[in-house]
Amino acid sequence: MSELPDLPATALVTAYRERQLSPVDVTRAALARIDAWDEAICATWAMDPEGAMTAARQSEARWMAGTPAGPLDGVPVTVKENIATKGVIMPAGTAAIDAAIATEDAPAAARLRESGAVILGKTTMPDFGMLSSGLSSFHRLARNPWNLAMNPGGSSAGASAAAAAGYAPINIGTDIGGSVRLPAALCGAVALKPSFGRIPVSPPFLGRAAGPITRTVADAALAMQVLSLPDARDYMSLPPADLDWSAEPLPLRGLRIGLCLHTGIGSDPEPEIVAAITDAARLFAEAGAIVEPLGPFLRLEMVEGLNHFWQTRFGSDTASLSDAQRAKILPYIRDWIEGGDALSGRDVYRGFTQIPAMSQATQKATQAFDYVLLPVWPTVSFPAEFASPLNDPARPFDHIGYCVGFNMSEQPALSVNCGYAQNGMPIGLQISGRRFDDVGVLRMGAAFEVMRAPQRPWPRLDN
């Protein structure tokens, strides 16, 4: 029973269909895993064990009748705190605001419920989702299951820690600059940042995406069958498409693949990162792909402009807060927001124009390739108490240089584990594709899962 949470969603659905397992037993085991782990990693918030067990019993009845609600019926899932679930407050990771109660499910949560998924509860995030860290003024400090002294990354911090600890096979996060890929890489998990608009979100915003965080590419693909269904609330979403989300490994022979070890912005990659990504590229080449170097394609003024725009955006969003409320924001984020107070309207507009500039540069540089391989992070790991690898609000985005371009260019990008550092922490490989080729990116990830070295056992509380 204790090992049921380690089964992938694909195996659970097969076992339910063949009446070898019950969603009730699986959900009970998942809740027991969370009870055992969460005091250590602090990944969850607003758990709903009673609601989860009720949903599991309803799922069991549907499977017994041969009428499952959808592809995820009976599969335990978690949902990031900033994805609305009806009746649950949304503090946005910060103690500074008077959190409102969600009056309806956001698109991702609505699709999960319609498919019969068992929502266990919510996962933690940093203040306003503006850190690649598990640090929050509202939630407990999230930690990495591979090493409790280390950071799980963010902003989908709890979701990625939950995936590594085996809370649920599918965990839903959000990503506007790397926030599913970054933590998934540090936690050894798989994360897809889909093409912009592939998964409807509410409210929509430039670069914002929701995405699954799982242990396998196949589970991410299974989740996409449900998450990519249409929702009229997202007026920026893609038209509904009948895609094959089977995630069969992609034939690699003859594919043209770019290898980028620096995009031109942010910190230089650590040697262990370079070695792991280069070794992954070698495996693709040995399988018949044509691997060619891709040089830097982004400029410093692009990320500086984006920084100015985001500073002003959050300065506006927090302008109505009282002094007492503002004092509750994490000092790192408060200092960062206040750094934009002196910007003029022209400064902000120039910053905003760097979003399309980044988009055009990313698409132009990668268009010649079928797929591109990159690091996810420039660094292997950093302390749990840090807000970012450098822990410096004056340099808040030095670590997102490999990820943020694909948010602005609207291209799909996948993080998948490609090895381990000397300190035992996982290292993520990022695979990007052309716009709308979400299926191809997943199939590339599935091909890499077959080629890569055997994976180490997932962390256990008694390790």
Side-chain angles (χ1 to χ4, degrees):
M1 183 70 68
S2 63
E3 301 308 314
L4 289 180
D6 294 314
L7 292 176
T10 51
L12 291 178
V13 171
T14 298
Y16 295 158
R17 184 178 299 111
E18 297 175 355
R19 299 187 181 182
Q20 296 175 346
L21 286 176
S22 162
V24 172
D25 292 336
V26 171
T27 299
R28 188 178 292 118
L31 292 171
R33 173 70 62 88
I34 294 170
D35 284 344
W37 255 109
D38 212 48
E39 185 176 346
I41 65 173
C42 304
T44 67
W45 180 75
M47 288 294 296
D48 184 19
E50 291 185 6
M53 289 305 301
T54 297
R57 286 189 287 269
Q58 293 170 345
S59 174
E60 180 183 64
R62 289 191 295 269
W63 280 109
M64 292 298 291
T67 57
L72 296 181
D73 204 341
V75 174
V77 300
T78 71
V79 179
K80 188 177 177 182
E81 184 248 281
N82 65 340
I83 299 174
T85 50
K86 185 176 180 179
V88 180
I89 68 168
M90 298 180 64
T94 182
I97 66 172
D98 297 322
I101 298 176
T103 58
E104 62 181 4
D105 285 338
R111 300 295 85 75
L112 291 171
R113 288 197 206 275
E114 291 164 2
S115 188
V118 177
I119 298 178
L120 303 173
K122 310 299 284 288
T123 52
T124 57
M125 58 181 277
D127 289 51
F128 307 111
M130 280 307 299
L131 293 179
S132 302
S133 167
L135 189 63
S136 165
S137 64
F138 181 87
H139 297 296
R140 300 168 297 162
L141 176 64
R143 296 179 179 273
N144 195 313
W146 290 90
N147 183 334
L148 297 180
M150 294 299 173
N151 211 292
S155 64
S156 303
S160 295
Y167 286 12
I170 295 173
N171 307 271
I172 312 303
T174 60
D175 190 315
I176 199 171
S179 286
V180 296
R181 291 159 289 163
L182 289 163
L186 291 189
C187 292
V190 170
L192 175 67
K193 193 289 293 181
S195 297
F196 180 74
R198 180 69 72 200
I199 297 177
V201 298
S202 180
F205 190 80
L206 291 171
R208 178 182 290 156
I213 303 173
T214 63
R215 286 182 169 186
T216 68
V217 171
D219 273 5
L222 179 63
M224 289 300 296
Q225 291 185 35
V226 172
L227 297 172
S228 61
L229 293 174
D231 192 297
R233 289 173 288 178
D234 188 347
Y235 52 84
M236 300 173 75
S237 61
L238 296 175
D242 184 14
L243 300 177
D244 178 8
W245 295 106
S246 62
E248 290 294 321
L250 189 67
L252 301 176
R253 185 163 300 279
L255 287 181
R256 189 178 179 196
I257 297 177
L259 172 60
C260 180
L261 295 175
H262 205 301
T263 62
I265 59 175
S267 301
D268 291 333
E270 295 175 358
E272 286 185 288
I273 299 290
V274 173
I277 303 306
T278 302
D279 190 57
R282 176 184 56 79
L283 294 178
F284 281 99
E286 290 176 352
I290 303 165
V291 179
E292 302 173 352
L294 170 61
F297 53 88
L298 299 178
R299 302 187 306 276
L300 180 60
E301 58 264 31
M302 293 176 179
V303 74
E304 288 179 340
L306 185 65
N307 180 41
H308 289 166
F309 174 69
W310 279 349
Q311 280 179 306
T312 307
R313 172 192 165 197
F314 280 93
S316 175
D317 288 347
T318 58
S320 62
L321 297 180
S322 67
D323 289 344
Q325 287 176 307
R326 290 180 67 86
K328 295 180 181 178
I329 300 174
L330 279 178
Y332 180 103
I333 294 181
R334 189 174 63 245
D335 291 348
W336 170 73
I337 292 172
E338 292 173 353
D341 289 348
L343 296 172
S344 68
R346 289 183 179 181
D347 293 331
V348 177
Y349 178 74
R350 291 191 189 102
F352 180 80
T353 63
Q354 294 304 313
I355 294 176
M358 187 180 294
S359 173
Q360 291 169 351
T362 303
Q363 289 195 39
K364 181 179 179 181
T366 60
Q367 191 63 31
F369 301 99
D370 297 300
Y371 302 96
V372 173
L373 308 178
L374 316 88
V376 180
W377 290 84
T379 188
V380 167
S381 60
F382 59 102
E385 295 80 9
F386 277 21
S388 67
L390 297 179
N391 211 31
D392 181 358
R395 298 175 63 185
F397 299 138
D398 276 38
H399 59 281
I400 68 170
Y402 293 109
C403 291
V404 68
F406 298 110
N407 290 84
M408 303 310 152
S409 70
E410 307 184 4
Q411 295 171 248
L414 181 79
S415 176
V416 58
N417 186 56
C418 67
Y420 306 86
Q422 288 187 354
N423 65 0
M425 299 304 291
I427 296 174
L429 168 69
Q430 186 172 196
I431 303 171
S432 73
R434 298 187 180 115
R435 289 177 72 204
F436 317 130
D437 190 18
D438 305 73
V439 170
V441 166
L442 285 167
R443 294 186 67 194
M444 276 281 288
F448 181 68
E449 284 181 326
V450 174
M451 297 187 299
R452 69 185 178 184
Q455 297 293 280
R456 296 180 183 178
W458 288 98
R460 298 176 62 93
L461 188 59
D462 55 2
N463 283 357

